[in-house]
């Protein structure tokens, strides 16, 4: 294959032999491009591959400086441009098919180019870079003549600029990732860039050598396809005017933005999600078709760049017919990310590629279908075009539009050829996934094999890189041998193919017989270090063993471990004796040597002599060799570097030995592959290879391409002979083995084909033997039966050895099971309280212990969570307490007397504190009336606030003093008087110290703060607050007034609180005595005891009582023991105290515990009855009778004393209750007055806060105005800078135009000179010959345009595009060729000297060349004039913006002055002085006047009287009209009845025998006919009824709508009636004014106006009458003419 190579000067390193690329095989991951009509190209690794579609021949272009980045092609010039991916990338431009470099472009891009695009003429290249520049650049790509693309002139500096790779112009778009960039095929001046969020059209403007980029963003619609009206952020026009609160400013000014961000700032509510463009394509009319993620198709106009949402044409047939016929139809709906195909079984995902064709576009997505969008005007129709195997990523037409290139996501390429018989061909079939492994198919050197991630195996030819065959290993396995649970990382054959070594991540190496005839027998495994990095083998013909070296890291030590194993060749024959019962190879049969290296290696190989190791250092770029000790050693041996060679490669690398062991191959992360001599380690060959993103391994995982390399320079003959000799020896020694294995495979294949389905069950008959490699296991498609038998024998041996112990264990288990079953039966019979759970009988102690531990862990976790939650609540409670309680300087108190118990306190401190203390005022409650008085909670003022207050007070005092002194100076008082007055005022201030009030009245002061004796003299008048400092000082003073008002009220509140505490204490003292009296009198009454509630003493909520906790407290064991000990100790102390108190015990026994009888005990005293009273009265003696009389006397006296004492107690109790009632009532009266004062204080506070809010609002508005002013000034500065730039651009463009015009004038003058000097030059010849020559001199050849084939014109939608410089040169060359025909000697006039003819031809040719140059200059001059005009328009636009900014600044300054002068003041008005409607609140009092209330009431009474009179007259008139209407209706009714009677008489006269009557008489089945007609009529009636119901529903909806409109009209009428009332008032006032001013003058004026109106009315009436007559005449004439045009139809 042909190839091209690009060499970089930085890599000219002199190395020995160089490697060249024979072929490259890879598949496209980027878009494929057409180079010409039959060749496509795509990047692949370090190469650009060119593929001929017809011959399938590939050409390779190599980039020597890294991976190929983005690629772009230009068909007219047949050039290809690509960038490399490295730091500070370059852009290379090559021609095709020569593949020679035309230029190299170097820009300022740091990381990578993301997009490249050629203009159609090929002379301009646009590039776009990603992070960090996001730069759009326009390049010269060839020798640009000024006539390229359209027309122009060659310039001597163009060649120089082209060779230097000059950027014509560039623009940066920070943060914008562009996914598509295309030139307009019809106009290279337009360039479209689309990103997922925006679409921008760039216009390239040119003036001679200067180029400018100008962007125009396309306004995209919203997600639903609609557009929203975007307001101007800088100069909004729709802002409302607020005459009360000042000017309404833009949102950016409210946000305080003054920089460039204010130009694009929008609130969150004003942001809408727009459509997301995914792809676009140009049309021949310079319009754009844009596809969106949401499923919409847009058309962007090329003139004004406005977007239009195209509508889908809904003309598809019914779905049932489509399902029956198998057709498909589409339904585009707006779903984000989807275009849903509304059909059975198929959805069309949002298309990711689009290509324009005549009448519409072709689009496709990831569903594998290509759709045709037929577009007409603003509608489109979707049809199926083509179905592809996989998702389509790219569509592209060939230059002739005869072929359509389709690229799938895997990289496969299809070509659809248009014609009478369209063809669909697969040009390139990609492999499924990335290449994971490559290896040669030995013996032989014809083929090699690749394996991809998805399991696809391909066989390729080494000579030409053509895929011979492929197979996918995604089929089910017949047999599998599971080696290890750990992932398989390494798979390696030795050099002679004896063993297959498998390495796992856990450090196991499995040794497998590599011969298929052995069915891949697993011989055993060896344990080595974990995380194996590389396995290297040495298997030579002259030795009977295989050396295996394993490299693994030592984590945390910075060292590497090497383990060398020796496997005997006869291991497959005696593998059973070499391995133990578990399959592990015995150490005595497989010796192992362990070595360590003091630094880390990324790769290591063992030389064929087995005495030296080569390693690639991981941290430093060195390749080291290590000598192995000759003597055997035990343990670990430390190896030192024997030879160290610095590598030119960087990053971790891999080493590999050639098959003959004399070459060392190295490849590193930098992507360069080097071949070195094993002895001296020089570089023999170097080939750049594709970089691998992760690790570099021998199999080159993650490499997208593979290469076949060969030696370019011949090496020495001895070395070549060694290679050939080694290959011949290896083939000779392995020939017998190869023949045997091939015979075995052929026999197995033949037997499998003969056996048919039985092969699935037979182990010996296998169709194929596959080895599947994955990251988790190795699956072998056959397993050896001998291994299974060996395993069974090992198990049988173990069972026989431990049979006795197993029997004993089984017996014990059976006995234990029987015991547990008996216990479970016994457990079922016991009570529920003593019954155990089933899981408690589990004998698995470890499981029980595990469950117990889990439960303990769960309990500990729950306990910890609860503790953390409690801690969080306590922390939150502390924060709330600190914020809302501790920080409060004034804590409220409340008093309330109530017979209810206090409310329960919630245990959740955080919630309760939040509800109780969040700046909530404490309040005092009355005893008997429902009054609750709250105080003002207050925080302590900070030092900063006090400092500011002190500063403001001092400033105000100084101002007051200055004002007083100025007044004294003005009054010109004497100095003595001033001193006396000053001393007197100081004495008064020291003696009185009374509060000075402001001179302003309360209604101008705006509050009633003076009622609380607050000092307000320092306040400024509300009419004088103009500056910002005055407003801030006023706010500070108002806050101080609020603080003082609150403090004054709180002082009175504290006094009332203390008084209530005293009252409650007194009530408690009196209640003690009342309670004693109630007990003495034994009354069933309750004592009223007032208590403080929680709202009155909120500090109670900070303490949680034990009674408030509803749940049981968790008590630990030591707490329980401590409590029991305390209780025992207290009981012992009580018993000791009771035993020692003998005096109290004796007093209780003798006198009942009382030494003296008190007066209170009279009510409880009882005189004991004599003992004889138990006997009958007849048996009493005289003495007993006397004792009985004395007993009765004592009882009577005791009762009298009791009554007397009871009455005294009752009087005392009533007195106490009256005292309590009087004291509580007096307190309630005091609290009532305090409540009124609390209301007044709150009113004052609200008034002052309202003034503060107004001042704060004015300050905020002042800041907003300042922000707006600063923004406008900054914006003006930027516009002025832009103005200077545009002025400079105009100046430069005008200078260039003048210079260019002067050059053009010179050319025109030269052309005229040539024309005029013609006859002078040929003055020697006769005049008639001169005339003939002059005619020939003016003659110009006709250039015949090449006719393009009609079929090409029909396919190519763009038609003839603007020509390029190359085409203009070709046209000029064709003109010169035609001039050669005119210069032929045959065209020479007769009799003319040939020398004269030659001179004439030269002169004419010079004239033609000059004319062509004049044409080019004229075109350039027009372009420069247009450029100057555009710059002038830009300058005028900027000037208009500057004027607009100046105008806005003037308006803003006027608004600012008005705002500072028009102040918002607060006025106190009594109720009734302002009359307002209830439902309408007026805010605009600009025309309001304060007047007396009596005037309004008098006017209202007059208006009310007149209104009543008017209503009465209207009612009377209504009744009269009603009677008239009634009479008219009766008259009309009688006329209608008369007409009905006349009609009936006429009907009777005209009655005739109708056909229905005849049918009734003649029809035998008349009833059936009537029934059919009735059925039809019923159906008709049903349809009419249904229609009627729909109409009724529509009428109901209309009635509801009309009802709502009626309600709105009622409200409007009510508003108008209110306005009418006001207007009537105004009319009455004006009548009074007119009467006062004089009615005579007014009447004359009215009469005069009336006369003029009457004259004008008569004049207009006359004119209208004349016009009506003319109209009637014209109508008659029109009717006459119309009747003449119609034929006369006579009724026959």
């Amino acid at each position: 294959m042909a190839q091209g190579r690009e060499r970089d000067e930085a890599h000219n390193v002199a190395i020995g032999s160089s490697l060249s690329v024979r072929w490259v095989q890879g598949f496209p991951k980027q878009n494929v491009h057409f180079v010409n009509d039959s060749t496509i190209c795509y990047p692949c690794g370090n190469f650009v591959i060119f593929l001929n579609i017809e011959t399938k021949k590939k050409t390779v272009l190599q980039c020597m400086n890294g991976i190929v980045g983005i690629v772009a092609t230009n068909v007219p010039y047949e050039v290809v441009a690509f960038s490399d991916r490295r730091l500070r990338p370059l852009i290379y431009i090559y021609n095709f098919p020569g593949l020679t470099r035309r230029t190299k472009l170097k820009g300022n891009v740091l990381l990578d180019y993301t997009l490249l695009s050629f203009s159609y003429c090929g002379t301009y290249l646009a590039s776009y870079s990603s992070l960090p520049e996001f730069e759009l650049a326009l390049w010269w790509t060839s020798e640009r003549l000024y006539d390229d693309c359209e027309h122009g002139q060659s310039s001597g500096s163009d060649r120089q600029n082209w060779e230097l790779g000059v950027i014509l112009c560039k623009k940066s778009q920070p943060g914008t990732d562009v996914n598509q960039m295309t030139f307009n095929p019809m106009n290279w001046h337009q360039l479209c860039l689309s990103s997922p969020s925006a679409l921008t059209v760039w216009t390239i403007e040119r003036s001679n050598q200067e180029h400018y980029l100008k962007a125009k963003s396309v306004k995209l619609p919203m997600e639903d396809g609609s557009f929203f009206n975007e307001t101007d952020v800088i100069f909004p026009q729709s802002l409302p005017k607020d005459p009360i609160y000042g000017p309404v400013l833009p949102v950016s000014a409210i946000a305080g933005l003054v920089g460039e961000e204010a130009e694009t700032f929008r609130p969150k509510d004003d942001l809408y999600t727009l459509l997301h463009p995914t792809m676009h394509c140009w049309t021949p009319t310079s319009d754009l078709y844009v596809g969106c993620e949401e499923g919409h198709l847009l058309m962007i106009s090329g003139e004004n760049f406005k977007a239009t949402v195209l509508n889908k044409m809904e003309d598809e047939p019914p779905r049932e017919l489509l399902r029956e016929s198998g057709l498909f139809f589409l339904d585009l709906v707006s779903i984000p990310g989807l275009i849903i195909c509304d059909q059975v079984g198929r959805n069309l995902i949002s298309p990711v590629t689009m290509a324009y064709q005549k009448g519409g576009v072709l689009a496709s997505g990831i569903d594998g279908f290509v759709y045709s969008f037929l577009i007409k005007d603003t509608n489109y129709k979707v049809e199926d075009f083509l179905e592809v195997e996989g998702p389509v990523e790219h569509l592209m037409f060939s230059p002739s539009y005869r072929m359509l290139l389709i690229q799938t996501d895997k990289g496969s390429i299809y070509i659809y050829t248009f014609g009478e018989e369209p063809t669909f061909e697969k040009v390139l079939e990609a492999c499924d996934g990335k290449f994971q492994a490559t290896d040669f198919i030995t013996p032989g050197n014809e083929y090699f094999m690749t394996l991809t991630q998805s399991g696809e195996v391909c066989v390729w030819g080494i000579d030409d890189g053509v895929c011979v065959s492929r197979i996918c290993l995604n089929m089910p396995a017949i047999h599998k041998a599971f080696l290890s649970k750990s992932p398989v990382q390494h798979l390696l054959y030795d050099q002679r193919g004896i063993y297959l070594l498998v390495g796992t991540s856990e450090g196991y190496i499995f040794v497998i017989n590599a011969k298929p005839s052995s069915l891949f027998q697993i011989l055993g495994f060896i344990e080595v270090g974990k995380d194996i990095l590389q396995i290297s083998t040495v298997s030579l013909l002259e030795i009977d063993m295989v050396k295996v070296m394993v490299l693994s890291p030592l984590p945390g030590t910075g060292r590497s471990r090497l383990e060398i194993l020796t496997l005997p060749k006869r291991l497959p024959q005696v593998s059973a004796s070499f391995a133990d019962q578990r399959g592990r190879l015995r150490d005595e049969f497989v010796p192992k040597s362990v070595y360590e290296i003091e630094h880390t290696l990324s790769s290591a190989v063992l030389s064929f002599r087995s005495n030296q190791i080569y390693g690639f250092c991981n941290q430093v770029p060195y390749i080291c060799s290590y000598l192995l000790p000759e003597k055997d050693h035990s343990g670990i041996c430390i190896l030192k570097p024997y030879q160290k060679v610095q590598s030119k490669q960087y990053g971790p690398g891999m080493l590999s030995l050639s098959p003959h062991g004399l070459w060392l191959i190295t490849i590193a992360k930098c992507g360069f592959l080097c071949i070195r001599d094993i002895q001296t380690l020089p570089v023999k060959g170097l080939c750049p290879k594709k970089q691998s993103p992760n690790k570099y391994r021998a199999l080159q995982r993650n490499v997208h391409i593979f290469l076949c390399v060969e030696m370019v320079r011949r090496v020495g003959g001895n070395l070549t002979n060694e290679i050939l000799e080694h290959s011949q020896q290896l083939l000779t020694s392995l020939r017998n083995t190869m023949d045997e294995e091939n015979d075995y495979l052929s026999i197995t294949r033949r037997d499998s084909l003969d056996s048919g389905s039985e092969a699935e069950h037979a182990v010996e008959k296998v169709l194929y033997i596959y080895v599947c490699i994955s990251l988790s296991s190795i699956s072998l498609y056959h397993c050896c039966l001998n291994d299974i038998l060996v395993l069974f024998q090992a198990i049988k041996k173990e069972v026989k050895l431990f049979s006795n112990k197993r029997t004993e264990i089984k017996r014990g288990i059976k006995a234990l099971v029987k015991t547990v079953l008996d216990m479970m039966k016994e457990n079922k019979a016991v009570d529920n309280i003593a019954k155990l759970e089933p899981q408690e009988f589990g004998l698995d102690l470890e499981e029980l212990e595990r469950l117990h531990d889990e439960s303990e862990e769960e309990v500990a976790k729950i306990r910890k969570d609860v503790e953390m939650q409690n801690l969080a609540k306590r922390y939150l409670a502390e924060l709330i307490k600190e914020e809302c309680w501790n920080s409060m300087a004034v804590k409220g108190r409340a008093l309330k007397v109530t017979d209810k118990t206090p409310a329960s306190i919630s245990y959740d401190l955080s919630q309760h504190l939040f509800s109780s203390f969040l700046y909530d005022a404490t309040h005092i409650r009355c005893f008997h009336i429902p009054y609750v008085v709250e105080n003002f909670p207050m925080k302590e003022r900070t030092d900063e606030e006090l400092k500011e207050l002190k500063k403001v007070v001092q400033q105000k005092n100084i101002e007051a003093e200055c004002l007083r002194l100025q007044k004294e100076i003005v009054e010109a008082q004497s100095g003595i008087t001033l001193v006396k007055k000053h001393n007197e005022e100081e004495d008064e201030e020291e003696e009185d110290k009374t509060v000075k009030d402001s001179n302003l009245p309360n209604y101008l002061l705006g509050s009633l703060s003076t009622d609380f004796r607050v000092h307000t003299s320092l306040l400024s008048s509300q009419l004088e607050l103009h500056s910002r400092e005055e407003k801030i000082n006023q706010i500070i003073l108002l806050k101080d007034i609020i603080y003082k008002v609150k403090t004054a009220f709180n002082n009175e509140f504290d006094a009332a609180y203390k008084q209530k505490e005293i009252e409650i204490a007194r009530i408690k003292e009196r209640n003690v005595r009342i309670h004693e009296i109630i007990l003495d009198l034994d009354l069933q009454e309750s004592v009223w005891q007032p208590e403080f509630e929680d709202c009155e003493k909120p500090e109670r909520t900070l303490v949680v009582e034990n009674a408030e906790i509803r749940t049981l407290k968790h008590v630990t064991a030591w707490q329980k023991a401590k409590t029991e000990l305390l209780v025992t100790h207290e009981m012992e102390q009580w018993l000791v105290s009771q035993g020692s108190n003998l005096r109290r015990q004796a007093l209780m026994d003798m006198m009942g515990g009382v030494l003296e009888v008190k007066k209170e005990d009279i009510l409880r005293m009882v005189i004991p009855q004599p003992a004889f009273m138990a006997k009958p009265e007849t048996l009493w003696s005289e003495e007993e009778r006397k004792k009985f009389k004395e007993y009765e006397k004592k009882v009577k006296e005791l009762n009298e004393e009791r009554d007397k004492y009871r009455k005294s107690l009752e009087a005392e109790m009533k007195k106490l209750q009256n005292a309590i009632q009087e004291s509580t009532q007096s307190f309630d009266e005091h609290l009532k007055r305090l409540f009124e004062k609390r209301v007044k204080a709150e009113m004052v506070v609200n008034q002052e806060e309202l003034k503060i809010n107004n001042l704060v609002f004015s300050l905020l508005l002042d800041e907003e105005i300042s922000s707006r002013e600063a923004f406008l000034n900054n914006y003006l500065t930027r516009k002025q800078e832009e103005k200077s730039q545009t002025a400079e651009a105009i100046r430069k463009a005008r200078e260039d135009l003048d210079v260019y015009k002067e050059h053009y004038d010179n050319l025109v003058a030269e052309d005229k000179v040539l024309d005029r000097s013609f006859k002078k030059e040929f003055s020697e010849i006769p005049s008639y010959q001169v005339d003939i020559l002059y005619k020939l001199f003016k003659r110009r050849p006709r250039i015949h345009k090449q006719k393009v084939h009609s079929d090409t014109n029909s396919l190519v939608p763009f038609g003839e595009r603007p020509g390029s410089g190359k085409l203009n040169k070709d046209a000029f060359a064709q003109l010169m060729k035609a001039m050669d025909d005119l210069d032929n000697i045959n065209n020479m006039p007769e009799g003319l000297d040939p020398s004269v003819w030659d001179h004439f031809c030269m002169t004419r040719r010079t004239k033609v060349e000059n004319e062509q140059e004049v044409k080019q200059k004229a075109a350039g001059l027009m372009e420069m004039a247009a450029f100057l005009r555009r710059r002038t328009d830009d300058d005028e636009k900027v000037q208009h913006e500057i004027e607009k900014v100046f105008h806005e600044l003037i308006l803003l300054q006027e608004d600012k002055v008005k705002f500072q002068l028009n102040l918002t003041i607060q006025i106190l008005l009594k109720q009734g002085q302002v009359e307002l409607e209830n439902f309408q609140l007026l805010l605009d009092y600009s025309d309001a006047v304060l007047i007396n209330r009596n005037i309004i009431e008098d006017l209202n009474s007059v208006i009310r009287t007149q209104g009543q009179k008017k209503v009465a007259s209207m009612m009377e008139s209504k009744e009269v009209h009603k009677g008239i209407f009634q009479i008219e209706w009766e008259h009309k009714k009688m006329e209608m009845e008369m007409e009905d009677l006349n009609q009936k008489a006429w009907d009777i006269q005209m009655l005739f025998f109708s056909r229905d009557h005849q049918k009734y008489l003649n029809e035998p089945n008349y009833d059936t006919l009537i029934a059919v007609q009735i059925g039809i009529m019923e159906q008709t009636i049903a349809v009419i009824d249904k229609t009627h119901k729909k109409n009724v529903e529509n009428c109901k909806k209309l009635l509801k709508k009309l009802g709502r409109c009626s309600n709105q009209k009622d409200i409007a009428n009510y508003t108008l009636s209110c306005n009418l009332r006001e207007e009537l008032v105004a009319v009455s006032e004006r009548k009074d004014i007119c009467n006062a001013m004089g009615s005579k003058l007014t009447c004359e004026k009215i009469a005069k106006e009336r006369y003029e109106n009457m004259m004008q009315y008569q004049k207009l009436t006359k004119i209208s009458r004349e016009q009506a007559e003319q109209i009637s005449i014209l109508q008659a004439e029109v009717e006459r003419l119309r009747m003449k045009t119609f034929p006369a139809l006579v009724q026959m």
Side-chain angles (χ1 to χ4, degrees), residues 690-702:
K690 179 175 173 61
Q691 298 183 15
S692 175
N694 298 322
K695 297 180 179 180
Y696 283 76
R697 300 191 179 278
L699 298 181
Q700 277 301 291
R701 296 181 185 175
N702 299 332

Side-chain angles (χ1 to χ4, degrees), residues 358 399-402 1348-1359:
K358 278 191 175 182
S400 63
Y401 272 75
R402 296 180 182 273
V1348 187
H1349 298 289
S1350 60
D1351 55 349
T1352 304
N1353 286 333
S1354 62
L1355 291 176
V1356 179
F1358 294 98

Side-chain angles (χ1 to χ4, degrees), residues 150-200:
E150 290 178 355
H151 34 251
Q153 159 212 358
S154 63
S155 175
S157 62
D158 292 346
R159 178 66 182 173
Q160 182 182 1
N161 292 333
W162 163 55
E163 291 176 350
L164 296 177
V166 174
I167 298 178
L168 299 179
C169 52
K170 60 182 179 180
K171 287 286 184 180
S172 180
Q173 300 184 105
T176 303
D177 289 320
V178 177
N179 53 18
Q180 189 180 5
M181 177 176 65
T182 56
F183 273 96
N184 185 352
M186 305 302 296
N187 182 10
W188 71 269
H189 292 278
Q190 288 183 339
L191 181 67
C192 181
L193 276 72
S194 65
S195 65
S197 59
L199 187 75
T200 308

Side-chain angles (χ1 to χ4, degrees), residues 295-297 309-315 331-333 339 373-382:
H296 292 283
L297 184 63
V309 181
L310 301 183
N311 302 317
K312 182 182 178 298
M313 297 172 61
E314 301 290 344
D315 56 352
D331 185 15
L332 295 176
V333 296
I339 295 182
F373 289 71
L374 303 179
I375 303 173
K376 186 176 181 181
D377 296 332
T378 59
N379 301 319
Y380 68 92
K381 182 180 179 181
V382 184

Side-chain angles (χ1 to χ4, degrees), residues 269-333:
D269 298 336
D270 292 345
L271 297 178
Y272 301 96
T273 304
L274 304 179
L275 293 179
H276 299 84
T278 56
M279 80 295 293
H280 68 266
C281 62
W282 291 92
T283 66
T285 58
S286 296
D287 295 336
L288 280 166
Y289 287 136
V290 182
C292 304
E293 287 183 4
E294 292 77 7
H296 292 283
L297 184 63
L298 306 180
M299 183 181 71
I300 312 298
S301 174
E303 296 178 357
N304 51 18
F305 302 109
K306 289 186 178 180
T308 304
V309 181
L310 301 183
N311 302 317
K312 182 182 178 298
M313 297 172 61
E314 301 290 344
D315 56 352
E316 64 269 5
R319 303 190 180 189
E320 291 77 8
L321 297 178
L322 287 172
R323 293 191 181 98
E324 293 175 1
S325 60
L327 297 176
F328 301 98
F329 64 99
L330 300 176
D331 185 15
L332 295 176
V333 296

